[in-house]
Amino acid sequence: MTENPIGVNLTRHIHQTQQAHPEATGELSTILNQIALAAKIVSRKVNRAGLADVLGYTGTENIQGEEVRRLDVLANDVFISAFDHLGNFCVMASEEVDEAIPIPDEYLCGGYSVAFDPLDGSSNIDANVSVGTIFAVHRKISFGPRGDNSDLMQPGNRLVAAGYVVYGSSTMLVMSTGNGVHGFTLDPEIGEFLESHRDIKIPEKGKIYSCNEGNYGYWTEGVRRYVDHIKESDEASGRPYSTRYIGSMVADMHRTLLYGGIFMYPGDLKKDPTTPHGKLRLLYECAPMAFLCEHAGGAASTGRGRVLDVIPESLHQRVPFFAGSTNDVRELESFVAKYEGA
Ligand code: AHG
Ligand code: MN
Ligand code: MN
């Protein structure tokens, strides 16, 4: 036979990963394939958003206090419908739903929990800017037959799988089950995700910083000093860095994974001058992105410690977030330690 005419599609990659783990039950494989199905459905809606009357607002607010867009609701419904009957999950959490989402009584529960941001960056959708979906999968640890919050509120260092879908110039699924980070691009003509980015590795040091500098005045001193530092001209040390900020975490983190540098959503002192509060949510934005960063050879920090070591205290908890090239994240941490005390 000539070379494999199909290449490595997502299904083949998932099978190969499962076969590498004799103890695997196949549950995770089913989950990942179902995520891909849901992603294809959302991709189709996003790519026709302007035509399919799914732009604009619903007129309601979510627990985050954000105006909910029709596509937020649509994507949320697609992922919940893809997961609730699978028999592999015991409980779910979504950015768009206040409380944990139980598996309906008529369906079996399985050995995993999932937290997801069904549509990330949705404030950009009407301007046709890339948006995405983020997911995080943990093992069930509760004793009851049905899951509960404890299955969701585990530190990221216990994640078994995490990833995102970026609905951009093409639709890509980027994920890790702990053995490298791999990217698959959707071929809409055959409706299959084909491997396009095997074993993504973040450069050790980058030349791009990504943050909403409009919040500069609310940041803590160490963060401000760090950003001032990387904007100073010093050819020998590769400064100043270039700035890139899309405003969709998935798109900004996708570029950071591929090109390196540092993505930052610092805590700000807007609400409370004594304690910096982050915007990005731990369970379904920061922890899954941190999992991917570390498995791609990068780092992810709250500024004072590893994101994956944060013990969640609530479903929609927010944390300050700095992630990307290890050297850049460590330098940020050194500025926080120097100017804000360890
Ligand atoms: P979501 O659309 O899921 O609420 O997430 C939006 C987040 C994230 O995607 C992005 O990094 C950040 O909000 C941008 O915030 P600012 O507009 O404050 O910069
Ligand atoms: Mn989001
Ligand atoms: Mn969202």
Side-chain angles (χ1 to χ4, degrees):
M1 181 178 80
T2 56
E3 190 183 316
N4 167 8
I6 305 174
V8 177
N9 66 340
L10 179 62
T11 312
R12 184 184 184 124
H13 172 87
I14 292 170
H15 283 159
Q16 285 171 340
T17 306
Q18 179 184 328
Q19 281 155 6
H21 295 81
E23 75 287 1
T25 62
E27 274 201 282
L28 200 48
S29 297
T30 305
I31 287 169
L32 295 170
N33 280 310
Q34 196 71 354
I35 289 170
L37 169 64
K40 292 177 199 173
I41 295 167
V42 173
S43 170
R44 185 170 167 276
K45 283 291 180 196
V46 165
N47 291 336
R48 298 167 61 252
L51 304 170
D53 188 27
V54 290
L55 293 179
Y57 292 94
T58 59
T60 59
E61 267 195 6
N62 61 15
I63 188 174
Q64 328 282 343
E66 295 160 343
E67 289 186 289
V68 177
R69 290 169 173 273
R70 287 203 196 105
L71 263 180
D72 282 318
V73 173
L74 182 133
N76 190 50
D77 293 348
V78 167
F79 278 93
I80 290 175
S81 307
F83 293 157
D84 64 2
H85 64 286
L86 211 52
N88 300 116
F89 290 121
C90 62
V91 66
M92 303 176 277
S94 164
E95 174 197 321
E96 299 303 331
V97 180
D98 300 3
E99 307 298 329
I101 307 163
I103 299 301
D105 292 342
E106 63 265 36
Y107 299 131
L108 291 175
C109 276
Y112 295 90
S113 74
V114 61
F116 57 94
D117 178 356
L119 199 72
D120 174 70
S122 52
S123 62
N124 289 310
I125 190 74
D126 290 15
N128 203 12
V129 172
S130 296
V131 292
T133 298
I134 311 169
F135 61 90
V137 179
H138 277 293
R139 276 194 189 76
K140 180 177 190 305
I141 54 171
S142 61
F143 294 107
R146 322 285 297 176
D148 61 34
N149 275 21
S150 67
D151 298 304
L152 293 161
M153 291 182 8
Q154 301 181 60
N157 55 34
R158 286 206 215 129
L159 281 167
V160 292
Y164 59 80
V165 185
V166 52
Y167 309 104
S169 49
S170 61
T171 293
M172 267 193 73
L173 171 63
V174 176
M175 63 164 214
S176 176
T177 55
N179 299 298
V181 177
H182 309 285
F184 302 85
T185 298
L186 181 62
D187 179 337
E189 287 176 22
I190 57 172
E192 184 60 55
F193 281 101
L194 303 178
E195 185 181 75
S196 52
H197 297 68
R198 177 189 294 250
D199 202 18
I200 296 171
K201 289 294 178 211
I202 303 184
E204 267 190 5
K205 185 168 173 49
K207 295 195 62 172
I208 296 171
Y209 75 100
S210 180
C211 58
N212 181 343
E213 281 199 75
N215 295 325
Y216 179 91
Y218 298 121
W219 293 342
T220 54
E221 185 178 7
V223 177
R224 281 188 280 113
R225 295 261 191 165
Y226 169 72
V227 173
D228 295 345
H229 169 73
I230 54 179
K231 290 164 74 171
E232 280 164 1
S233 179
D234 177 339
E235 297 292 310
S237 64
R239 287 183 280 132
Y241 281 20
S242 294
T243 182
R244 293 286 184 276
Y245 190 65
I246 302 166
S248 291
M249 183 191 197
V250 171
D252 282 315
M253 281 304 300
H254 185 59
R255 182 204 55 248
T256 304
L257 270 176
L258 296 180
Y259 296 0
I262 185 166
F263 170 77
M264 300 180 273
Y265 209 101
D268 69 43
L269 301 168
K270 233 178 280 183
K271 294 191 189 97
D272 171 353
T274 61
T275 316
H277 287 277
K279 170 178 183 180
L280 300 179
R281 281 62 52 122
L282 176 62
L283 285 190
Y284 42 80
E285 290 176 319
C286 299
M289 286 300 186
F291 182 81
L292 293 173
C293 268
E294 292 202 3
H295 284 290
S301 171
T302 61
R304 295 178 170 281
R306 193 174 171 232
V307 169
L308 293 184
D309 292 339
V310 176
I311 310 284
E313 291 164 7
S314 66
L315 276 184
H316 302 287
Q317 176 179 344
R318 299 166 191 260
V319 290
F321 186 71
F322 307 86
S325 296
T326 302
N327 288 11
D328 294 319
V329 174
R330 296 294 170 249
E331 187 172 40
L332 173 278
E333 288 177 328
S334 69
F335 274 75
V336 170
K338 179 176 178 184
Y339 292 100
E340 300 172 26

